[in-house]
Amino acid sequence: MQHGPAVRRRKLGAELRALRAGVGLTSGEAARLVGWHQSKVSRIETGISGVKAADVERLLDAYGVREPGLRELLLGLSGSEGNGRHHWWHAYRGVLPPAYRDFISLESQASGMRTLETSVVPGLLQTPEYARAVTRAAVGGLEDGKLDALVEVRLARQDVLRSDPPLELTAVLDEAVLRREVGGPEVMARQLARLREAAALPQVRLQVLPFAAGAHAGVTGPFVIFSFPNTTDLDVVVLDHLTSSLYLERKEDLQAYTEVFNTLRFHALSPEDSLDYIAAIGDGA
């Protein structure tokens, strides 16, 4: 169990180590190819130290990695600017906590996101008014300027659903998410309408877990599972807390949370029935 930067370093190191082994090089041979000491390659591969974008590129060149998507993903894990698409949030450094920046970094690079939400609508599906009400409630005493900036970030994050290729979002929503009136009746009505619109997108799959389902495996709290293109070794579970986030990367953790998510989907309403359920709540049924 680690925090975001450490997870990124470990995952980047593990992937670079696998790429090196894949072309039949020892760490010493790789170091000689790029003009380094062997200890630097070892520190990078074990995640002990961070690595600059230029150094990642040198290693990828040495290993013959040409695939643009994989190169971009690994550069993103290094914290580099890459092509700039994944780092728009740097403009908001003054208002974003490090844990939130780490989450956005993972979200922007992921190919898939599975999420259980038990209290609020997922950030990627929030309307501006709902996002403002949730942010004001979650972070008390915010100045208007900072509140505006955090809402801008929440809305900018939603671009991942419109990118090419888009993030594949699968969300299980506890009925409490739909019943909790955030921002007043009008704001909530627009938010429920937004959920129905989003569910029509081919890259979004929504399922409602109704109260009638009783106690379920997700009662301990919400979670997110990020999946990444090209390799499952980079997949990670994120548990969000009030002041920080925890990242679980062990295969046992990933398997456990994946099984829980699949169980929740099994007990939830189908996507089609979920749409009808959301519409009925919106109509006051």
Side-chain angles (χ1 to χ4, degrees):
M1 183 181 296
Q2 299 187 51
H3 296 281
V7 168
R8 288 205 306 270
R9 287 198 306 269
R10 281 172 54 89
K11 290 185 174 296
L12 174 59
E15 188 65 15
L16 291 172
R17 183 170 61 251
L19 291 170
R20 172 180 58 74
V23 294
L25 292 173
T26 66
S27 58
E29 290 168 340
R32 285 192 292 274
L33 275 177
V34 295
W36 299 342
H37 192 279
Q38 187 269 344
S39 62
K40 179 172 180 177
V41 173
S42 294
R43 288 197 304 273
I44 291 172
E45 290 185 352
T46 55
I48 292 175
S49 61
V51 56
K52 297 178 181 178
D55 288 344
V56 172
E57 293 202 273
R58 289 177 71 179
L59 290 174
L60 295 179
D61 290 342
Y63 304 156
V65 178
R66 302 285 179 262
E67 204 280 304
L70 181 55
R71 289 180 70 99
E72 183 176 12
L73 174 61
L74 296 178
L75 285 168
L77 286 173
S78 75
S80 69
E81 291 294 333
N83 64 7
R85 182 167 65 90
H86 294 320
H87 296 268
W88 54 265
W89 58 90
H90 284 184
Y92 296 91
R93 277 185 177 273
V95 295
L96 293 181
Y100 195 10
R101 293 201 301 268
D102 291 334
F103 184 89
I104 296 173
S105 177
L106 289 172
E107 182 180 73
S108 69
Q109 298 168 66
S111 58
M113 177 178 178
R114 289 165 285 174
T115 181
L116 165 70
E117 291 291 349
T118 58
S119 297
V120 297
V121 170
L124 296 182
L125 303 179
Q126 292 178 6
T127 65
E129 299 87 357
Y130 186 99
R132 177 174 292 274
V134 165
T135 303
R136 179 177 282 127
V139 189
L142 274 181
E143 300 174 359
D144 286 344
K146 287 187 176 181
L147 177 60
D148 291 342
L150 288 173
V151 173
E152 287 176 14
V153 168
R154 183 68 54 91
L155 300 179
R157 283 174 48 203
Q158 298 176 4
D159 284 346
V160 296
L161 295 176
R162 298 183 286 271
S163 60
D164 185 20
L167 176 77
E168 299 283 338
L169 174 64
T170 303
V172 174
L173 309 182
D174 190 278
E175 184 173 343
V177 172
L178 310 176
R179 297 287 185 183
R180 178 169 287 105
E181 191 174 280
V182 174
E186 293 182 2
V187 169
M188 202 62 204
R190 287 193 290 271
Q191 179 60 73
L192 293 176
R194 167 63 181 143
L195 286 177
R196 297 198 299 273
E197 293 170 4
L201 298 173
Q203 65 271 33
V204 176
R205 186 182 182 94
L206 292 182
Q207 290 183 251
V208 174
L209 194 61
F211 288 148
H216 54 77
V219 294
T220 55
F223 60 86
V224 172
I225 306 173
F226 283 122
S227 301
F228 293 86
N230 303 301
T231 175
T232 59
D233 291 340
L234 299 177
D235 293 357
V236 63
V237 177
V238 183
L239 306 178
D240 205 21
H241 297 276
L242 182 62
T243 57
S244 64
S245 296
L246 293 177
Y247 297 74
L248 309 179
E249 58 176 328
R250 297 186 311 160
K251 289 184 178 180
E252 308 94 282
D253 294 324
L254 285 163
Q255 181 178 352
Y257 276 88
T258 297
E259 289 175 356
V260 165
F261 191 77
N262 290 340
T263 299
L264 292 171
R265 287 191 60 195
F266 176 80
H267 290 291
L269 301 175
S270 69
E272 295 75 20
D273 289 344
S274 294
L275 271 179
D276 293 339
Y277 207 79
I278 294 170
I281 293 175
D283 292 340

